[in-house]
């Protein structure tokens, strides 16, 4: 059991590092390609990766009625999640968007309380308020720049992305006990590819005659490692540890994104924004501490 848990933690950490880097990778790809085209490309690449394991995927023991949960899984993430995140990263910095993701563990706890009647302690509720206050302070103190023209609206879109990620996490926990991580990753990739293909067609997104190699390699990286690899790792871990413990690792994303944003994009925080980020992390930490007996 210890060995299996250790493997789950290792794969989860891998997913977190990949997801943190994805904010920077998306900002780079969006410089030369339409956001929806980039996301369709990463979904298509991830689907091709999953098809390499089609023999294992087809062995899935489908349970009657699960199609609704599987469809909702793909609709929440990647479909709606990436629509909101694409809008967010066109308007705010990768560092600020990454900081907003710290709300996810607390939102999952609130969602589990509302849907599954799990216990909601005063620590969890207080932590949610503190973390949300930190995100609001971070948002209102953000200044517009060439790469982040409207941080307030961008951070709001990232918050909506976290709402859909909460729904995804709760459904994933239910399905991960029935299906393999490979099968669930395949479902998400296919649903995402079809959704964004239809979105590109419906919105008449222009297809460029030439895509810079920087964008091509970024899309391949996003598809192979961030979409297929990270979602597989997260699904694998979710089937072997409690949802609350798994989502707690997401607290690392803001710190890693801040580092990657500084290293690769030259993004910086003002002192007050570091304070706001500390409020977010403190709120999440408070929400996950066990209540006194």
């Amino acid at each position: 059991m210890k060995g299996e848990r250790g493997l789950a933690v290792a794969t989860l950490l891998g997913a977190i590092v990949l997801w943190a880097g994805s904010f920077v990778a998306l900002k780079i790809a969006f410089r030369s390609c339409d956001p929806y085209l980039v996301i369709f490309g990463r979904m298509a690449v991830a689907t091709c990766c999953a098809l390499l394991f089609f023999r294992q995927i087809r062995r899935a023991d489908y349970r009657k009625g699960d199609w609704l949960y599987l469809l909702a899984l793909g609709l929440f993430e990647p479909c709606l999640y990436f629509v909101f995140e694409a809008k967010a990263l066109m308007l705010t910095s990768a560092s600020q968007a990454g900081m907003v993701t710290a709300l996810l563990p607390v939102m999952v706890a609130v969602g589990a309380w509302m849907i599954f009647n799990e216990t909601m302690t005063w620590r969890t509720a207080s932590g949610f308020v503190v973390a949300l206050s930190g995100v609001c302070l971070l948002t209102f103190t953000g200044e517009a720049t060439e790469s982040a023209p409207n941080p307030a609206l961008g951070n709001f879109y990232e918050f909506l992305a976290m709402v859909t990620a909460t729904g995804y996490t709760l459904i994933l926990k239910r399905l991960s006990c029935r299906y393999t991580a490979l099968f669930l990753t395949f479902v998400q990739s296919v649903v995402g590819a079809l959704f964004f293909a239809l979105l590109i067609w419906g919105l008449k997104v222009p297809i460029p005659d030439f895509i810079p190699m920087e964008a091509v390699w970024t899309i391949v990286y996003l598809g192979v490692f961030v979409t297929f690899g990270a979602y597989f790792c997260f699904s694998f871990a979710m089937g072997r540890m409690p949802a609350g413990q798994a989502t707690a690792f997401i607290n690392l994303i803001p710190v890693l994104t801040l580092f990657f944003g500084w290293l690769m994009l030259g993004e910086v925080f003002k002192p007050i924004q570091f304070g706001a980020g500390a409020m977010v992390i403190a709120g999440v930490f408070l929400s996950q501490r066990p209540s006194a007996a």
Side-chain angles (χ1 to χ4, degrees):
M1 293 294 293
K2 288 185 177 179
E4 185 174 273
R5 177 175 173 77
L7 181 60
V9 170
T11 56
L12 189 55
L13 286 172
I16 296 306
V17 172
L18 290 169
W19 278 335
S22 72
F23 289 95
V24 174
L26 285 169
K27 289 287 284 188
I28 292 173
F30 289 173
R31 291 172 180 172
S32 53
C33 290
D34 184 273
Y36 293 146
L37 190 62
V38 171
I39 297 171
F40 165 73
R42 70 182 286 185
M43 290 296 112
V45 170
T47 300
C48 291
C49 291
L51 287 174
L52 296 175
F53 304 92
F54 188 70
R55 285 187 178 181
Q56 292 92 325
I57 292 170
R58 65 184 299 182
R59 294 174 189 163
D61 185 18
Y62 173 76
R63 295 190 184 185
K64 186 177 180 180
D66 276 356
W67 68 269
L68 186 59
Y69 291 110
L70 292 168
L71 182 61
L73 183 79
L75 180 63
F76 277 124
E77 194 167 340
C79 298
L80 293 177
Y81 176 87
F82 283 128
V83 167
F84 291 132
E85 186 163 89
K87 289 181 175 295
L89 289 174
M90 293 297 290
L91 299 170
T92 190
S93 67
S95 300
Q96 290 198 50
M99 192 62 69
V100 177
T101 64
L103 286 174
L104 182 58
V106 192
M107 293 174 69
V108 169
V110 173
W113 168 66
M114 295 176 63
I115 298 173
F116 301 134
N117 294 319
E118 292 188 4
T119 302
M120 169 67 74
T121 66
W122 72 268
R123 286 187 183 278
T124 301
S126 300
F128 179 72
V129 172
V130 172
L132 187 59
S133 299
V135 169
C136 291
L137 180 60
L138 180 74
T139 296
F140 294 137
T141 55
E143 295 180 352
T145 64
E146 184 178 351
S147 62
N150 193 338
L153 184 57
N155 289 349
F156 176 69
Y157 277 128
E158 188 63 29
F159 173 76
L160 294 180
M162 291 305 101
V163 173
T164 64
T166 299
Y168 158 77
T169 303
L170 296 174
I171 295 172
L172 178 64
K173 183 58 185 174
R174 181 187 184 99
L175 294 176
S176 61
C177 298
R178 306 182 187 180
Y179 301 100
T180 66
L182 193 59
F183 175 77
L184 294 174
T185 303
F186 172 73
V187 169
Q188 287 183 262
S189 300
V190 171
V191 172
L194 291 174
F195 176 85
F196 284 101
L198 290 173
L199 201 60
I200 289 172
W201 175 76
L203 297 178
K204 295 181 173 56
V205 174
I207 309 297
D209 296 327
F210 173 76
I211 299 178
M213 286 306 299
E214 177 187 59
V216 172
W217 286 115
T218 302
I219 291 171
V220 171
Y221 164 77
L222 288 167
V224 175
F225 295 101
V226 180
T227 302
F228 178 76
Y231 278 121
F232 174 83
C233 289
F234 190 67
S235 298
F236 179 87
M238 283 289 285
R240 289 161 177 79
M241 58 194 304
Q245 292 183 21
T247 53
F249 282 79
I250 292 173
N251 299 338
L252 296 172
I253 290 181
V255 179
L256 292 171
T257 305
L258 183 62
F259 172 72
F260 291 143
W262 166 78
L263 182 66
M264 304 181 69
L265 299 176
E267 296 178 350
V268 293
F269 269 16
K270 296 184 297 184
I272 191 173
Q273 290 181 299
F274 277 110
M279 284 181 62
V280 176
I281 300 300
V284 173
F285 177 75
L286 174 63
S287 73
Q288 295 189 25
R289 286 189 62 192
S291 298

